[in-house]
Amino acid sequence: MKKLLQKLDLSSYIQDFEALLARQKDVFYLQGDYKLHFKRINELAKLDFTPPQELKNLNTELMHLSKQGILHLKQSFEFVKIIRYFLYLKGLKFEQCLKEWLDKIQISDEIKELTKYFDEKAEIKEELDERLVNLNDSLRLKTEQIRLEFSKLLHSKTLSPYLIDSQIHLINDEECLLLRGGFSSSLKCKIIARSNSGGFYVVPNSVENLYKQREDLKAQKEEIYYEYAKKISAIFHKNLAFLKFINQAFDLFDSYSARVLLAKSKDYEFVPSDSSKDIILKDFAHPALKNAKKVSIEFNKQVLLITGVNAGGKSMLLKGIISACFLAKYLLPMPINSSQSKIGSFKEFVSIIEDPQNIKNDISTFAGRMLEFSKLHEKKDLLLGVDEIELGTDAEEAACLYTVLISQLITEGKKIIITTHHKRLALLLAQNEEVELLAALYDEKNAKPSYEFLKGTIGKSYAFESALRYNIRPNLIKEAQKLYGEDKQNLESMVSKNINLELELKAKLKKVAKKEEKLEKLLQKVQEDK
């Protein structure tokens, strides 16, 4: 999956999505009825809501509870955060689907009561227990006594000759003074460290005694906390099935929330996949592109063959179409006009884009591509993308070979998107009724690609014009055009016209055939009526 996301340039999109999750999980977490999930997401998108807080994974804690273990209060607080959040959600005015789902999550009074035990720092509220009130008062008093003791020592005339500075230092979590040698006659203390300049970090005995008293108070406080930890864990153990359920419910809502937050932050829309294999994208742009020119595509047949100008957006369109289908499958938002778009459902996605040739693979470009094609026959319900299909071998041989391979994949029901510059391959494939043609256009007036596409025709590569745009010298371009030959240049211009006329003729013949069929039925009806 990670490799596919990289090929489709969706890695940064997924990172943006993951950053909006309260708890890390499989990005494609949604399971079950996708139509129901889509309804809930739509309902959530209509409402302003507070996203859930960051939460840790609680699988270890649930296992601990199943063995009647005692959770630390901070661990218990993670469950409390979930319960508090669902209590908050239940107070919002959701529409039907989300309301029905939330109504099924019944939180007992005993569990609700536990949410009142904690403050926002995951500590037990002191007002719950008088002992905590008294201990906290005593702790504040001891801390103040320690502060006063240090203040007194810092202003002591007998100790001032030995003070290197008038600060209270923190060494190994202990507050101390920094003194010069010879201080032992003026202060009873414990040396805990030496400074780089030869000074001594010391804890005065009077302060150390106060520390011990404060630690005793903290120990008493921890004993009370432990009592509450046992009590809460016992209640959690009794309600273990509920905790497992609400923990999963939180992940489900978190997945809804992240999708909605991403859609709102980027002005994206949702298009759920349907049971068809049609792909109709209206005003769509690949999420990785900034300030992209949006495209509209209708891909109803089995093969979409994209030809045309170099650097005209063919590869990005291929990635974009597969990305749109991938995002729709997992109910992830995208830049699109959802009301006029339709995206079919596919079980698997294969993208043959990069050159497989490297030293590690010990395989040629062509051999690598053949290896990938050999694995396609066993795949079901597949959307395949192949970029620069003729790459790596003789173009004439590739045209014949790939025509046969693509024709076989068509008979197997595969949906395929191909980009190519090879006119012979395009001409051979165009004869198949299941192949749709799309050409990346070139703005001849401004001498650059227009990043627009024309349906039903084969496009020119504009290799010479593109080379000129990238600062290849004009005299070299003219020399190359002579080598290419005038007849081939004329062929380039004729290809589009011939294909266009052929496709228009086919379309007209189909219309005539349909009219004839209707006329036959009408005549038959008239005869029957007579």
Side-chain angles (χ1 to χ4, degrees):
M1 185 70 78
K2 187 177 179 181
K3 194 173 181 182
L4 176 66
L5 293 172
Q6 288 173 343
K7 284 184 177 183
L8 297 179
D9 294 331
L10 285 175
S11 298
S12 59
Y13 173 96
I14 295 301
Q15 287 172 5
D16 289 343
F17 175 73
E18 286 177 331
L20 296 169
L21 291 167
R23 177 162 67 186
Q24 289 305 302
K25 61 182 70 62
D26 182 358
V27 172
F28 319 109
Y29 176 77
L30 296 179
Q31 296 173 352
D33 189 343
Y34 267 65
K35 288 182 179 177
L36 183 59
H37 291 317
F38 179 62
K39 286 179 182 177
R40 291 173 181 171
I41 288 168
N42 264 343
E43 287 179 16
L44 187 61
K46 294 174 185 175
L47 204 69
D48 288 328
F49 67 98
T50 303
Q53 292 180 344
E54 188 176 337
L55 196 77
K56 65 170 289 190
N57 184 289
L58 294 171
N59 290 338
T60 303
E61 284 76 6
L62 287 167
M63 185 180 68
H64 203 48
L65 284 171
S66 68
K67 297 177 180 179
Q68 296 189 334
I70 299 170
L71 299 183
H72 190 277
L73 289 175
K74 285 188 177 179
Q75 292 173 305
S76 296
F77 184 65
E78 294 296 303
F79 288 106
V80 167
K81 284 199 289 188
I82 293 176
I83 296 158
R84 280 179 177 174
Y85 192 69
F86 273 97
L87 289 170
Y88 157 74
L89 290 177
K90 281 174 166 288
L92 298 178
K93 292 181 179 179
F94 286 112
E95 293 179 17
Q96 189 176 357
C97 287
L98 270 174
K99 188 178 184 305
E100 285 177 4
W101 178 62
L102 289 167
D103 285 345
K104 290 176 184 176
I105 302 172
Q106 296 295 321
I107 303 172
S108 68
D109 291 338
E110 187 178 36
I111 292 291
K112 285 179 186 176
E113 192 62 30
L114 290 183
T115 64
K116 299 174 184 177
Y117 281 24
F118 293 88
D119 61 19
E120 293 306 314
K121 294 180 180 178
E123 292 183 357
I124 297 293
K125 293 177 181 177
E126 67 172 32
E127 57 264 30
L128 285 174
D129 195 309
E130 191 178 344
R131 294 174 298 170
L132 286 174
V133 175
N134 294 332
L135 284 169
N136 284 336
D137 286 342
S138 298
L139 280 167
R140 282 191 285 270
L141 183 61
K142 288 295 172 212
T143 301
E144 181 61 20
Q145 287 176 343
I146 290 168
R147 189 189 67 79
L148 289 172
E149 185 62 26
F150 271 117
S151 179
K152 186 175 75 174
L153 290 169
L154 287 170
H155 292 88
S156 169
K157 289 182 179 179
T158 56
L159 194 62
S160 61
Y162 305 103
L163 287 169
I164 292 177
D165 57 41
S166 58
Q167 295 179 347
I168 298 171
H169 298 267
L170 190 68
I171 303 294
N172 300 327
D173 294 328
E174 286 189 275
E175 291 173 303
C176 56
L177 300 173
L178 181 58
L179 304 178
R180 296 184 181 87
F183 60 83
S184 56
S185 59
S186 300
L187 182 68
K188 291 182 179 180
C189 60
K190 177 180 73 174
I191 299 170
I192 59 171
R194 293 288 301 270
S195 71
N196 292 332
S197 59
F200 298 86
Y201 290 105
V202 303
V203 177
N205 288 352
S206 57
V207 172
E208 190 172 17
N209 290 333
L210 291 170
Y211 280 161
K212 286 177 182 177
Q213 292 170 28
R214 188 170 67 178
E215 289 306 310
D216 287 342
L217 292 170
K218 285 181 180 179
Q220 292 175 48
K221 192 175 175 182
E222 287 301 321
E223 286 177 12
I224 297 170
Y225 283 160
Y226 186 67
E227 287 176 26
Y228 279 95
K230 285 197 295 184
K231 179 182 177 181
I232 294 166
S233 295
I235 294 170
F236 278 169
H237 174 72
K238 191 168 66 174
N239 293 275
L240 184 58
F242 167 76
L243 289 180
K244 288 179 178 177
F245 168 72
I246 203 167
N247 185 54
Q248 288 181 340
F250 178 86
D251 276 330
L252 183 57
F253 186 84
D254 189 25
S255 294
Y256 294 159
S257 170
R259 282 167 168 78
V260 170
L261 293 172
L262 182 63
K264 287 183 175 181
S265 66
K266 305 268 189 182
D267 197 22
Y268 288 173
E269 297 181 35
F270 294 94
V271 180
S273 55
D274 57 30
S275 57
S276 75
K277 295 295 175 230
D278 295 334
I279 302 172
I280 301 171
L281 307 179
K282 181 68 174 175
D283 300 329
F284 172 78
H286 191 292
L289 296 174
K290 294 180 180 179
N291 303 317
K293 182 179 281 190
K294 295 192 174 183
V295 296
S296 296
I297 301 293
E298 284 192 28
F299 177 18
N300 299 316
K301 296 183 180 180
Q302 280 185 250
V303 177
L304 181 65
L305 185 65
I306 309 171
T307 57
V309 60
N310 291 288
K314 298 188 301 298
S315 298
M316 208 63 206
L317 179 63
L318 180 148
K319 292 178 184 181
I321 294 171
I322 300 176
S323 295
C325 296
F326 179 87
L327 297 175
K329 179 181 173 70
Y330 294 105
L331 288 180
L332 289 161
M334 62 190 96
I336 196 169
N337 182 336
S338 59
S339 63
Q340 296 183 51
S341 298
K342 175 184 172 68
I343 299 176
S345 176
F346 301 92
K347 187 178 178 182
E348 293 187 73
F349 302 90
V350 174
S351 183
I352 303 173
I353 292 176
E354 81 283 0
D355 185 348
Q357 178 176 239
N358 61 48
I359 295 169
K360 216 175 192 179
N361 289 345
D362 190 26
I363 195 168
S364 72
T365 300
F366 180 71
R369 292 219 156 175
M370 288 300 98
L371 188 61
E372 289 188 271
F373 263 84
S374 69
K375 298 173 184 175
L376 298 175
H377 303 291
E378 58 203 44
K379 295 184 182 292
K380 304 286 185 184
D381 203 5
L382 171 70
L383 178 60
L384 168 67
V386 190
D387 192 33
E388 303 286 1
I389 193 169
E390 73 280 358
L391 191 69
T393 191
D394 177 80
E396 293 298 318
E397 291 180 3
C400 299
L401 178 62
Y402 281 120
T403 299
V404 173
L405 291 177
I406 297 301
S407 298
Q408 177 58 35
L409 292 175
I410 288 172
T411 63
E412 293 172 8
K414 308 290 195 290
K415 190 96 168 174
I416 310 163
I417 308 161
I418 300 166
T419 71
T420 185
H421 287 287
H422 199 280
K423 300 297 181 297
R424 179 162 167 73
L425 174 61
L427 284 166
L428 289 171
L429 286 174
Q431 295 172 33
N432 192 311
E433 288 188 354
E434 283 301 321
V435 176
E436 294 183 37
L437 301 175
L438 196 67
L441 301 180
Y442 186 77
D443 184 349
E444 295 191 8
K445 183 180 178 182
N446 296 306
K448 64 178 184 179
S450 64
Y451 303 106
E452 293 176 352
F453 299 88
L454 180 64
K455 188 176 179 180
T457 186
I458 295 172
K460 280 182 63 178
S461 294
Y462 289 94
F464 301 127
E465 291 85 347
S466 296
L468 193 63
R469 188 162 61 94
Y470 288 106
N471 301 321
I472 299 298
R473 283 180 287 175
N475 63 313
L476 296 176
I477 301 294
K478 284 181 182 177
E479 198 173 326
Q481 285 174 326
K482 283 180 185 177
L483 282 173
Y484 187 64
E486 190 178 333
D487 57 334
K488 286 187 180 179
Q489 287 191 57
N490 290 335
L491 179 63
E492 284 279 330
S493 61
M494 288 297 295
V495 161
S496 296
K497 291 178 183 178
N498 288 337
I499 293 294
N500 245 343
L501 288 171
E502 187 179 339
L503 290 171
E504 282 177 21
L505 184 59
K506 279 184 181 179
K508 285 177 182 177
L509 286 171
K510 278 187 180 180
K511 282 183 181 179
V512 169
K514 282 182 181 179
K515 284 179 181 178
E516 284 181 354
E517 191 179 339
K518 283 182 181 179
L519 187 59
E520 283 290 331
K521 286 179 180 178
L522 285 170
L523 286 170
Q524 190 177 348
K525 191 174 184 304
V526 168
Q527 287 173 355
E528 287 171 0
D529 289 344
K530 272 188 177 181

